[in-house]
Amino acid sequence: MKKYDYLIVGSGLFGSIFAYEANKIGKKCLVIEKRDHIGGNIYTEKIEDINVHKYGAHIFHTSNKETWEYINKFAEFNRYTNSPIAIYKDEVYNLPFNMNTFNKLWGVKTPMEAKEIIDSQIEESKTNSPKNLEEQAISLVGKDIYEKLIKGYTQKQWGKACTELPAFIIKRLPVRFTYDNNYFNDLYQGIPIGGYTQIIENMLENIDVKVNYDFFEHKDELMENCEKILFTGMIDEYYNYCYGSLEYRSLKFEDEILDLKNYQGNAVVNYTDYEVPYTRIIEHKHFEFDTQSSKTIITREYPKGWNIGDEPYYPINDEKNNLLYNKYKKLSEEDNKVIFGGRLGQYKYFDMNIVIEEALKCVNKELKSNE
Ligand code: FAD
Ligand code: UDP
């Protein structure tokens, strides 16, 4: 095996940015990936001429101009704006929670009328400082929205009662007293025309890459032949779970090709009642405004518990896990051979824009300061 300055474990967004920047300044890099393709969870695959988001809907959004300009170097983005629909039993609502949602729920037309209803529901179940997701949700939007649009979805997604979940999860969702169905508040938003995989392909051009290659199966040889490792897999697995396993949430994706032009009229439809076993159905062609092709592809997303060996899609950032992660982080700080990055390496619920910011921070610290 050749000698490398950096071994990069994982070809997701974090690992690929690091490899791209390191290669640019002349560092020899090897990227290894245990899946049979590059890209990590942003991977898209062209099937029936539709770019399928193989690991769930990915919508890029950021308010950081530098981040937006950075990602636009690797692909051109379209004007997609995420406006999911929520189905609760046989009722249809707009997300995020906004005047369209309030009008459908209560028949109110003005922000004042909506505020009055929400405030009275908040008052009824008053809690001073919300300690869990249920209290946080009710104190933001009141009981009706919590019961119809949050409670069932969240319990399915996380496999726990809302009273046992940290409040921060729900703070991601905007609440607006305007008729605006945009799921994000960010200045920039879109989907790369032609899918996400090209971004990673462009980053890894001219870099040695091995897929179907698991770090743990080749550890000794790899360690010997690199100066340093950037590890974007699970930090607890790297240290052989020596303090115990962190908790994750997994998912199952079920793709279906249909002989239909248009199945659900929207890219993302959430199913918010507990009885429906999936959380959402994605119809991929709507991410790129395709109304012409004769077929469509949908994906049902089922939440799933995680056990060692399953795909760890979400870290569960409650107090217990965060404390355990801090122990692994401390261990890594005493280790000069390896740095950790990304959703699994840093054990944080990062969106893509934050992954870019974190990867560039890591690049500055690791590569620029040693130049
Ligand atoms: P990953 O993409 O997980 O990459 C890590 C890579 O390391 C993987 O390819 C893995 O196979 C590889 N690996 C792990 N261990 C080993 C090993 N031992 N040997 C070799 N390779 C290994 N973000 C948004 O901004 N907008 C969205 O709409 C959005 N939607 C999402 C929907 C879902 C269902 C999920 C799960 C995430 C979503 N995200 C979204 C988040 C986004 O996917 C992440 O921010 C991003 O993909 C993280 O990149 P990463 O490189 O840190 O990790
Ligand atoms: N959520 C909800 N109802 C919905 C959509 C989201 O209650 O229809 C809650 C749920 O707890 C979820 C959180 O909001 O985990 C964050 O949702 P988001 O869509 O940002 O999650 P992701 O895309 O990361 O799965």
Side-chain angles (χ1 to χ4, degrees), residues 57 86 95 97 133 149-151 153-154 157-158 169-170 172-173 183-184 270 272 280 301 314 343 349 351:
L95 291 175
F97 314 125
L133 196 148
L149 301 178
I150 297 176
K151 191 177 178 186
Y153 185 99
T154 301
Q157 172 76 346
W158 297 100
I169 293 175
I170 200 72
R172 288 165 61 93
L173 297 191
Y183 202 60
F184 301 112
N270 290 2
T272 58
R280 38 193 175 191
E301 188 174 315
Y314 293 96
R343 236 192 197 201
Y349 189 1
D351 275 348

